[in-house]
Amino acid sequence: MKKAFSDEDLIKNLSLYYLNRHLKKKPIEKYHRKIDESQLHDREKYKKKAEILLLNSFMHHFPEVKFEDLTCESPDFIAKFNDKKIGIELTEVINHLEMKKVESNLNKIFRQAEILLEQEDTTKYRGVYFLEFHSNIRLDSPENQQEIILNIYKSIKKGKPAGNVKSIRKSFHRRNVFITHEYNMNLFDELCSEKIVELIEKKNEKFPYYDTSVDECWLVIVSDMNSIASRYTFIQDKEHLQKVNSPFHKIFHLENLCGNITSIK
């Protein structure tokens, strides 16, 4: 039976995060090994590894936190902090719902283009490629998707944009071909505080079902800035977050690019 995610896919995922100079590689690698040693299904292992990557910025703000149980469900992780047993529930806030499906389709397209290039000559094309597309890009049919795959393939081979590809930038990578989105900062890309409040309210409903053996339960809301569906520039009406009522002992919002953190409770 084919694995949902291969080890190579995870290496590619990690490689992108390694470009972030703030990444605490040693703890991340240690936690990933522990997850690998667990009895979780491969799909769940990948999910847990991705989640712990999102908490990298959190580890910089709380270096004393030591994760003890990486494979639990409610909450997502159990950690030790100041001689207390802390449950950590992690959730991602999606800022651009309409982009979520687009991004999912693009990631599948990126993988197909990577396979083409690696089959041809991994040594020649290895690197991390950041791509920006023209605004009229269409993903509504297999034919259009195949055209985009070929456009990406040609752009990387020639080292310049072709077809739907608007711009291309390459960073060093010593092992494989990795294709991702170019990060473009929009100065007016706001994250509505109501989206964060709605997430907190949904998690509040599940709070009674979390592990009762923990001393405290923290909610960590993440904006994955490497995702076009999750990134933002500023939080609109941030003062609304200070009025939130919740049974969680602490609530944080953090972004994983620069590591900015907001204490909500």
Side-chain angles (χ1 to χ4, degrees):
M1 182 174 144
K2 189 177 184 298
K3 290 184 178 181
F5 300 100
S6 69
D7 292 337
E8 183 185 12
D9 288 331
L10 182 60
I11 289 169
K12 291 174 180 295
N13 188 297
L14 268 169
S15 296
L16 179 60
Y17 279 84
Y18 278 5
L19 293 175
N20 183 341
R21 66 183 183 276
H22 301 296
L23 186 66
K24 294 170 78 76
K25 295 184 187 180
K26 287 187 179 178
I28 290 287
E29 290 169 348
K30 179 182 72 174
Y31 293 141
H32 277 203
R33 282 196 298 272
K34 285 187 177 180
I35 293 169
D36 273 330
E37 292 166 1
S38 74
Q39 299 301 310
L40 292 177
H41 184 275
D42 285 332
R43 181 183 293 273
E44 286 302 310
K45 286 181 180 179
Y46 186 91
K47 180 173 178 286
K48 282 290 183 179
K49 288 177 181 180
E51 286 176 343
I52 204 75
L53 279 170
L54 287 178
L55 282 174
N56 175 62
S57 296
F58 178 83
M59 295 178 202
H60 280 276
H61 290 282
F62 295 94
E64 302 87 359
V65 168
K66 305 298 180 187
F67 289 88
E68 295 187 338
D69 188 344
L70 300 161
T71 60
C72 50
E73 290 186 9
S74 299
D76 294 312
F77 302 101
I78 302 293
K80 203 78 174 178
F81 179 68
N82 289 346
D83 295 323
K84 287 184 178 181
K85 187 178 179 182
I86 306 294
I88 297 176
E89 178 68 10
L90 176 71
T91 187
E92 182 183 351
V93 58
I94 304 300
N95 195 27
H96 307 285
L97 288 174
E98 71 283 357
M99 290 302 299
K100 190 66 176 175
K101 186 175 180 181
V102 172
E103 185 168 28
S104 177
N105 285 331
L106 278 175
N107 285 334
K108 292 174 185 175
I109 286 170
F110 291 161
R111 186 68 189 114
Q112 292 304 309
E114 288 167 358
I115 290 170
L116 282 178
L117 290 158
E118 288 176 346
Q119 285 177 343
E120 182 173 318
D121 191 339
T122 301
T123 304
K124 182 178 180 181
Y125 299 116
R126 65 167 59 116
V128 182
Y129 298 88
F130 297 86
L131 303 182
E132 183 182 359
F133 295 91
H134 292 291
S135 57
N136 60 350
I137 187 172
R138 293 180 60 185
L139 305 168
D140 53 355
S141 71
E143 292 79 13
N144 287 338
Q145 293 177 16
Q146 190 60 38
E147 180 186 352
I148 296 167
I149 291 170
L150 292 175
N151 288 162
I152 294 171
Y153 172 76
K154 290 176 183 176
S155 297
I156 290 175
K157 281 197 69 173
K158 296 178 179 178
K160 61 181 181 180
N164 290 290
V165 179
K166 183 179 179 181
S167 68
I168 180 171
R169 177 171 63 90
K170 181 181 178 181
S171 285
F172 171 77
H173 187 275
R174 63 186 176 87
R175 294 187 63 175
N176 298 105
V177 179
F178 190 102
I179 304 170
T180 188
H181 311 279
E182 177 64 276
Y183 183 84
N184 290 316
M185 179 68 80
N186 183 342
L187 294 178
F188 305 101
D189 196 3
E190 62 194 33
L191 170 59
C192 180
S193 59
E194 280 302 312
K195 291 183 180 178
I196 297 177
V197 172
E198 286 172 9
L199 263 183
I200 294 171
E201 290 173 348
K202 286 180 181 177
K203 290 295 180 179
N204 286 349
E205 294 174 4
K206 298 180 180 179
F207 187 86
Y209 305 104
Y210 292 153
D211 188 339
T212 55
S213 70
V214 298
D215 298 309
E216 294 183 5
C217 196
W218 297 2
L219 176 60
V220 181
I221 301 167
V222 179
S223 286
D224 181 4
M225 300 295 276
N226 292 299
S227 163
I228 57 177
S230 188
R231 66 180 58 156
Y232 74 102
T233 309
F234 65 95
I235 299 175
Q236 183 186 42
D237 300 324
K238 201 171 181 179
E239 63 276 6
H240 292 170
L241 299 177
Q242 303 305 319
K243 302 174 184 178
V244 166
N245 290 316
S246 175
F248 286 96
H249 296 80
K250 292 184 184 295
I251 302 175
F252 302 98
H253 172 264
L254 66 89
E255 54 95 340
N256 66 336
L257 194 67
C258 298
N260 296 323
I261 191 166
T262 300
S263 178
I264 298 173
K265 180 181 177 182

